[in-house]
Amino acid sequence: MNLSPVLSVAIRAARSAGRIAARHFDERHRLEVHEKAPMDLVTSADIAVERELIEQLMRAYPDYAILAEESGRHDNRKAKGWQWIIDPIDGTANFAHGMPHFGISVALAKDGEVQAGLVFDPLRDELFVAEKGRGAFLNDRRIRVSDETRLAHALLATGFPFRKPKLKEPYLKAFAAMLQQTGELRRAGSASLDLAYVAAGRYDGYFEMRLSPWDIAAGVLLVTEAGGFVTDLNGGNAYLTSGDVVAGSPAMQPQVLDALRAVDLHRVIG
């Protein structure tokens, strides 16, 4: 795999940050844990990992803007549309409870369109990377979305809209409908890894609502570069702004979208 300089920098930053995350994970009894909002945690590990990512990315590309989950926007007049989008630990609740399922997500966008991205699982040493027009890879091996064509046999992933209590009822209606139609449904707690797993063919499809750009920016590029489709609940491409995502293989994604539309989820959540 021939990496661009910008992706090489992002990989070095993610691996360095991953070592920090793994060390904090091994010493969870020392973690400082705070609640940003009900059921929305931030730990001292999130802060340390994000600091390392920003420091390395800014050292290499000081003129690029940054959008990071914990510290917000770092704007730069010289950015000319370039912006890093960072989630230091996607799956903080898992991390804080000792569940070894979380990822570091880094994407680079130009004028709002993602050009490169990675999702790194430091505990499994799995690095998912993609660049626009150049394919998707897992640890230097090209990956593709699954070839499953039947929703009844599919393994899907999802997440709960815990930040939006008003969405719980319509979401549970959609969840129940999907359970009736699909083979299996998983909720693992890390949107970026869910999307990376769709890209690698481990999941056949994925849907979730009201996510943030840092949750999905790298993951959606992985899916599309692995040959999959990604839309919002209206079948459009406004997922980075709406946070509503439906992803999967060319055969599976339209079926998942149709099943969600059948319960009017796109109309209910507006």
Side-chain angles (χ1 to χ4, degrees):
M1 180 177 58
N2 188 19
L3 299 175
S4 68
V6 70
L7 189 53
S8 296
V9 165
I11 289 172
R12 285 197 298 271
R15 288 198 177 280
S16 178
R19 289 190 287 272
I20 295 173
R23 184 168 66 249
H24 279 277
F25 187 79
D26 288 339
E27 301 175 351
R28 290 185 308 283
H29 60 286
R30 299 182 180 179
L31 278 180
E32 296 178 17
V33 182
H34 304 283
E35 202 171 46
K36 294 184 290 187
M39 296 301 295
D40 193 2
L41 304 179
V42 59
T43 73
S44 49
D46 292 85
I47 303 301
V49 170
E50 183 170 293
R51 185 183 301 120
E52 177 69 10
L53 289 169
I54 291 175
E55 181 180 320
Q56 293 218 23
L57 296 174
M58 289 189 70
R59 185 185 304 142
Y61 294 93
D63 293 340
Y64 285 12
I66 293 175
L67 174 63
E69 178 177 14
E70 307 307 339
S71 58
R73 291 184 178 275
H74 303 249
D75 291 324
N76 192 318
R77 293 181 180 178
K78 298 180 181 179
K80 296 181 180 179
W82 290 101
Q83 183 185 57
W84 295 105
I85 305 173
I86 299 169
D87 192 338
I89 297 179
D90 182 33
T92 298
N94 286 349
F95 187 99
H97 287 84
M99 294 287 290
H101 188 78
F102 61 89
I104 295 170
S105 178
V106 180
L108 179 63
K110 177 70 165 69
D111 297 325
E113 187 173 355
V114 179
Q115 304 295 317
L118 66 84
V119 175
F120 180 45
D121 179 343
L123 299 187
R124 296 184 180 90
D125 192 28
E126 290 192 328
L127 178 67
F128 302 84
V129 300
E131 290 187 82
K132 189 174 182 181
R134 301 182 68 179
F137 298 82
L138 166 56
N139 293 347
D140 299 325
R141 177 176 54 84
R142 186 179 287 273
I143 53 178
R144 297 284 299 177
V145 294
S146 81
D147 57 5
E148 179 59 64
T149 61
R150 295 163 294 181
L151 185 58
H153 291 189
L155 174 60
L156 303 183
T158 189
F160 302 142
F162 61 88
R163 297 187 186 99
K164 304 287 184 181
K166 292 181 179 179
L167 295 181
K168 288 182 179 179
E169 185 175 343
Y171 174 80
L172 288 173
K173 182 179 179 182
F175 188 88
M178 295 306 299
L179 278 176
Q180 294 294 324
Q181 298 184 58
T182 192
E184 293 282 354
L185 194 52
R186 299 280 187 268
R187 198 280 185 181
S190 175
S192 64
L193 281 178
D194 284 343
L195 286 163
Y197 283 14
V198 171
R202 296 173 179 176
Y203 289 139
D204 300 304
Y206 164 75
F207 65 95
E208 193 166 349
M209 300 178 298
R210 295 304 191 256
L211 293 162
S212 298
W214 47 77
D215 296 316
I216 59 176
V220 294
L221 182 66
L222 283 166
V223 172
T224 56
E225 286 299 316
F229 290 168
V230 181
T231 71
D232 56 27
L233 287 172
N234 292 309
N237 60 2
Y239 36 80
L240 283 182
T241 53
S242 70
D244 304 328
V245 181
V246 183
S249 67
M252 192 58 56
Q253 194 272 350
Q255 295 183 63
V256 176
L257 182 61
D258 285 346
L260 295 173
R261 282 177 158 177
V263 294
D264 288 333
L265 186 60
H266 60 304
R267 292 192 180 92
V268 172
I269 70 171

